[in-house]
PDB file of all heavy atoms in Angstrom:
ATOM      1  N   GLY A  42       7.622 -17.335   7.330  1.00 98.00           N
ATOM      2  CA  GLY A  42       7.087 -17.574   5.901  1.00 98.00           C
ATOM      3  C   GLY A  42       5.774 -17.005   5.665  1.00 98.00           C
ATOM      4  O   GLY A  42       5.508 -15.820   6.047  1.00 98.00           O
ATOM      5  N   MET A  63       6.228  -7.692   3.387  1.00 97.00           N
ATOM      6  CA  MET A  63       6.703  -9.046   3.630  1.00 97.00           C
ATOM      7  C   MET A  63       6.593  -9.839   2.289  1.00 97.00           C
ATOM      8  O   MET A  63       5.966 -10.884   2.129  1.00 97.00           O
ATOM      9  CB  MET A  63       6.042  -9.793   4.680  1.00 97.00           C
ATOM     10  CG  MET A  63       6.197  -9.081   6.072  1.00 97.00           C
ATOM     11  SD  MET A  63       7.875  -8.878   6.471  1.00 97.00           S
ATOM     12  CE  MET A  63       7.776  -8.070   8.060  1.00 97.00           C
ATOM     13  N   LEU A  64       7.333  -9.315   1.291  1.00 97.00           N
ATOM     14  CA  LEU A  64       7.297  -9.945  -0.065  1.00 97.00           C
ATOM     15  C   LEU A  64       7.846 -11.376  -0.074  1.00 97.00           C
ATOM     16  O   LEU A  64       7.342 -12.090  -0.980  1.00 97.00           O
ATOM     17  CB  LEU A  64       7.953  -9.030  -1.044  1.00 97.00           C
ATOM     18  CG  LEU A  64       7.852  -9.225  -2.528  1.00 97.00           C
ATOM     19  CD1 LEU A  64       6.383  -9.265  -2.816  1.00 97.00           C
ATOM     20  CD2 LEU A  64       8.624  -8.117  -3.323  1.00 97.00           C
ATOM     21  N   GLN A  65       8.684 -11.707   0.773  1.00 98.00           N
ATOM     22  CA  GLN A  65       9.241 -12.979   0.782  1.00 98.00           C
ATOM     23  C   GLN A  65       8.743 -13.753   1.989  1.00 98.00           C
ATOM     24  O   GLN A  65       9.246 -14.817   2.351  1.00 98.00           O
ATOM     25  CB  GLN A  65      10.843 -13.102   0.682  1.00 98.00           C
ATOM     26  CG  GLN A  65      11.341 -12.592  -0.571  1.00 98.00           C
ATOM     27  CD  GLN A  65      11.309 -13.738  -1.606  1.00 98.00           C
ATOM     28  OE1 GLN A  65      10.559 -14.655  -1.476  1.00 98.00           O
ATOM     29  NE2 GLN A  65      12.355 -13.622  -2.563  1.00 98.00           N
ATOM     30  N   GLY A  66       7.804 -13.246   2.730  1.00 98.00           N
ATOM     31  CA  GLY A  66       7.224 -13.834   3.956  1.00 98.00           C
ATOM     32  C   GLY A  66       7.938 -13.363   5.144  1.00 98.00           C
ATOM     33  O   GLY A  66       8.977 -12.454   5.013  1.00 98.00           O
ATOM     34  N   TYR A  67       7.553 -13.852   6.309  1.00 98.00           N
ATOM     35  CA  TYR A  67       8.141 -13.314   7.585  1.00 98.00           C
ATOM     36  C   TYR A  67       9.434 -14.031   7.845  1.00 98.00           C
ATOM     37  O   TYR A  67       9.652 -15.256   7.434  1.00 98.00           O
ATOM     38  CB  TYR A  67       7.141 -13.625   8.749  1.00 98.00           C
ATOM     39  CG  TYR A  67       5.850 -12.821   8.697  1.00 98.00           C
ATOM     40  CD1 TYR A  67       4.780 -13.233   7.897  1.00 98.00           C
ATOM     41  CD2 TYR A  67       5.920 -11.464   9.216  1.00 98.00           C
ATOM     42  CE1 TYR A  67       3.735 -12.474   7.859  1.00 98.00           C
ATOM     43  CE2 TYR A  67       4.781 -10.638   9.183  1.00 98.00           C
ATOM     44  CZ  TYR A  67       3.667 -11.259   8.368  1.00 98.00           C
ATOM     45  OH  TYR A  67       2.534 -10.378   8.376  1.00 98.00           O
ATOM     46  N   SER A  68      10.434 -13.473   8.560  1.00 98.00           N
ATOM     47  CA  SER A  68      11.623 -13.996   8.916  1.00 98.00           C
ATOM     48  C   SER A  68      12.462 -14.631   7.755  1.00 98.00           C
ATOM     49  O   SER A  68      13.045 -15.579   7.832  1.00 98.00           O
ATOM     50  CB  SER A  68      11.506 -15.087  10.019  1.00 98.00           C
ATOM     51  OG  SER A  68      10.650 -14.544  11.096  1.00 98.00           O
ATOM     52  N   PHE A  69      12.406 -13.703   6.637  1.00 98.00           N
ATOM     53  CA  PHE A  69      13.196 -14.318   5.456  1.00 98.00           C
ATOM     54  C   PHE A  69      14.653 -14.303   5.785  1.00 98.00           C
ATOM     55  O   PHE A  69      15.208 -13.215   6.245  1.00 98.00           O
ATOM     56  CB  PHE A  69      12.921 -13.252   4.423  1.00 98.00           C
ATOM     57  CG  PHE A  69      13.484 -13.639   3.006  1.00 98.00           C
ATOM     58  CD1 PHE A  69      13.343 -14.913   2.457  1.00 98.00           C
ATOM     59  CD2 PHE A  69      14.210 -12.650   2.423  1.00 98.00           C
ATOM     60  CE1 PHE A  69      13.850 -15.185   1.199  1.00 98.00           C
ATOM     61  CE2 PHE A  69      14.764 -12.900   1.130  1.00 98.00           C
ATOM     62  CZ  PHE A  69      14.675 -14.173   0.512  1.00 98.00           C
ATOM     63  N   SER A 404       2.744 -13.739  -0.855  1.00 98.00           N
ATOM     64  CA  SER A 404       4.202 -13.606  -0.787  1.00 98.00           C
ATOM     65  C   SER A 404       4.967 -14.789  -1.465  1.00 98.00           C
ATOM     66  O   SER A 404       4.215 -15.677  -1.861  1.00 98.00           O
ATOM     67  CB  SER A 404       4.574 -13.579   0.736  1.00 98.00           C
ATOM     68  OG  SER A 404       4.593 -14.822   1.201  1.00 98.00           O
ATOM     69  N   GLY A 405       6.152 -14.636  -1.644  1.00 97.00           N
ATOM     70  CA  GLY A 405       6.950 -15.700  -2.179  1.00 97.00           C
ATOM     71  C   GLY A 405       7.072 -16.782  -1.416  1.00 97.00           C
ATOM     72  O   GLY A 405       7.601 -17.933  -1.865  1.00 97.00           O
ATOM     73  N   SER A 406       6.668 -16.779  -0.111  1.00 98.00           N
ATOM     74  CA  SER A 406       6.762 -17.922   0.781  1.00 98.00           C
ATOM     75  C   SER A 406       5.411 -18.715   0.624  1.00 98.00           C
ATOM     76  O   SER A 406       5.398 -19.825   1.283  1.00 98.00           O
ATOM     77  CB  SER A 406       6.920 -17.440   2.223  1.00 98.00           C
ATOM     78  OG  SER A 406       6.005 -16.707   2.709  1.00 98.00           O
TER      79      SER A 406
END
Side-chain angles (χ1 to χ4, degrees):
M63 298 305 178
L64 192 52
Q65 292 278 27
Y67 294 90
S68 303
F69 183 52
S404 78
S406 65

